[in-house]
């Protein structure tokens, strides 16, 4: 499952993220890099939950900033 999720993230980073244009991310690292690092470090279940929480926090009302994987 971990390999499948990482393959989806790599596909997104390579092909789909460029379609958004030049919009910058509020957070560092970007959400896809955060998800990739979290899944590599914690596995599919816990890393996936951390990535989902990060994506939910990425909204117009958030401050953004540096948010490393715990």
């Amino acid at each position: 499952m971990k390999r499948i999720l990482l393959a989806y993230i790599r596909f997104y980073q390579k092909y789909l993220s460029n379609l958004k244009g030049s919009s910058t991310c509020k957070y560092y690292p970007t959400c896809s890099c955060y998800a990739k690092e979290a899944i590599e470090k914690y596995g599919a279940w816990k890393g996936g939950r951390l990535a989902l929480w990060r994506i939910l926090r990425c909204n117009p009302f958030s401050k953004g900033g540096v948010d490393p994987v715990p």
Side-chain angles (χ1 to χ4, degrees):
M1 183 58 128
K2 179 178 172 179
R3 289 178 19 184
I4 293 170
L5 291 174
L6 291 173
Y8 282 137
I9 292 169
R10 281 191 299 275
F11 177 82
Y12 170 80
Q13 289 176 331
K14 189 170 185 177
Y15 298 108
L16 301 179
S17 67
N18 295 332
L19 298 176
K20 292 188 314 182
S22 64
S23 65
T24 59
C25 189
K26 292 176 144 191
Y27 286 104
Y28 179 82
T30 62
C31 292
S32 60
C33 290
Y34 182 94
K36 185 177 175 184
E37 187 177 337
I39 292 169
E40 287 173 344
K41 186 173 182 180
Y42 293 110
W45 179 247
K46 186 175 179 181
R49 287 186 300 151
L50 286 170
L52 180 62
W53 178 243
R54 167 67 177 277
I55 291 169
L56 291 174
R57 289 183 292 152
C58 190
N59 60 61
F61 304 108
S62 68
K63 295 178 185 176
V66 177
D67 183 27
V69 176

